[in-house]
Amino acid sequence: LTRLGLSTLLPLIRWDSQSITGRRVQFASTSCLVSLMMGAYPIMERHGGKIMSELMACIGRAHRDLAMYTKILGNRKKERQCADEQIDKEATATKSLLLFAAHAA
């Protein structure tokens, strides 16, 4: 069961998406991973390296995306307020995912 769960969840955590929907999927899969780690804790030691590498990659991508959002918002003019609101939503979703992935790690 653990192997099947990890083979399903780790690619979703690894997924490099910058949309809000992608962040929701990553958030949900990280939440499921935490539940799986709690439920199958005796054998999760064997998979610790895989889990940590995926969580650290997720954290690294979130940092990269936040830096990109900061640059985009810094270079924008006030003409495109609607696009800035969308970027703010994506940045907030990325920050939430970053904090949750750090908690899971």
Side-chain angles (χ1 to χ4, degrees):
L1 182 64
T2 303
R3 186 178 303 140
L4 182 62
L6 287 177
S7 67
T8 303
L9 295 174
L10 293 181
L12 292 175
I13 293 172
R14 184 184 324 132
W15 186 23
D16 191 13
S17 174
Q18 296 172 349
S19 67
I20 293 175
T21 305
R23 296 296 182 214
R24 287 180 183 161
V25 168
Q26 288 176 317
F27 199 93
S29 60
T30 305
S31 177
C32 291
L33 178 66
V34 170
S35 296
L36 181 64
M37 288 190 299
M38 293 296 187
Y41 69 91
I43 55 173
M44 288 308 254
E45 290 180 9
R46 299 178 188 173
H47 305 288
K50 289 182 266 188
I51 294 169
M52 285 304 292
S53 65
E54 294 299 333
L55 287 173
M56 295 307 286
C58 182
I59 290 169
R61 280 192 302 276
H63 274 292
R64 179 200 66 196
D65 292 344
L66 283 176
M68 184 175 58
Y69 292 141
T70 304
K71 285 182 182 179
I72 290 171
L73 288 175
N75 294 334
R76 290 267 176 146
K77 296 180 182 176
K78 295 296 179 188
E79 312 169 341
R80 301 183 66 180
Q81 186 175 1
C82 182
D84 288 347
E85 289 175 7
Q86 180 66 24
I87 291 173
D88 283 339
K89 288 179 185 178
E90 291 173 5
T92 302
T94 302
K95 288 177 189 175
S96 299
L97 176 66
L98 176 65
L99 292 173
F100 190 62
H103 172 71

